[in-house]
């Protein structure tokens, strides 16, 4: 009993037009959130730089899709840009502090202390001597 004039959608309005999706913007936002959470940990700061850069690129691709009218979720793309930029900034600052701190530690007896601890192996008395020497400022000398 189908008629060629029968309505196809609910209430006779036809099928709704599907909204274009923007997977690049969503992926960029997700990577930005992960990068932001990781950059707050010391070990994750370096990894979050990489994630934030990839998320930034994906957010830019998503924003360009919105500009070409291939997607409609501009807010997700802009939020991804902001979150990735903030994560990249925080992670870069933390990574720089880690690099400067490591260089300072190595220049000020850190490598001698490390060598002393490696040479001590599992001998607890030798490890304690290394700690005592480090406190006295003469580690490995």
């Amino acid at each position: 009993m189908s008629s060629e004039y029968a309505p196809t959608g609910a209430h006779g309005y036809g099928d709704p037009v599907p909204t274009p999706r923007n997977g690049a913007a969503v992926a960029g936002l997700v990577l930005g959130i992960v990068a932001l959470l990781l950059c707050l940990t010391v070990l994750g700061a370096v990894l979050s730089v990489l994630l934030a850069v990839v998320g930034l690129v994906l957010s830019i691709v998503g924003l360009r899709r919105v500009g070409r009218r291939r997607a409609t979720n501009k807010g997700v793309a802009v939020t991804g840009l902001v979150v990735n930029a903030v994560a990249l900034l925080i992670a870069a600052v933390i990574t720089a502090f880690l690099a400067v701190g490591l260089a300072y530690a190595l220049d000020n007896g850190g490598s001698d202390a490390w060598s002393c601890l490696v040479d001590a192996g599992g001998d607890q008395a030798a490890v304690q001597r290394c700690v005592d020497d480090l406190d006295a400022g003469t580690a490995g000398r």
Side-chain angles (χ1 to χ4, degrees):
M1 281 200 47
S2 144
S3 167
E4 63 183 273
Y5 299 108
T8 57
H11 305 292
Y13 290 109
D15 293 330
V17 178
T19 304
R21 297 185 180 172
N22 198 348
V26 172
L29 178 60
V30 169
L31 284 177
I33 292 169
V34 171
L36 190 60
L37 293 174
L38 273 178
C39 77
L40 299 177
T41 66
V42 173
L43 297 176
V46 177
L47 176 62
S48 66
V49 170
L50 177 66
L51 289 177
V53 168
V54 172
L56 201 58
V57 169
L58 287 173
S59 295
I60 291 169
V61 168
L63 197 57
R64 292 187 68 184
R65 282 184 172 178
V66 170
R68 291 186 203 137
R69 300 194 187 279
R70 295 178 67 202
T72 57
N73 54 353
K74 182 178 180 180
V76 173
V78 171
T79 304
L81 278 171
V82 171
V83 170
N84 280 297
V86 169
L88 186 60
L89 180 67
I90 292 171
V93 168
I94 290 174
T95 302
F97 276 122
L98 286 173
V100 168
L102 182 61
Y104 179 80
L106 290 175
D107 286 344
N108 291 302
S111 60
D112 293 336
W114 180 256
S115 297
C116 182
L117 289 172
V118 168
D119 292 341
D123 183 11
Q124 194 61 31
V127 169
Q128 187 58 45
R129 279 193 301 275
C130 290
V131 171
D132 293 340
D133 289 346
L134 182 62
D135 286 340
T138 60
R141 294 183 188 157

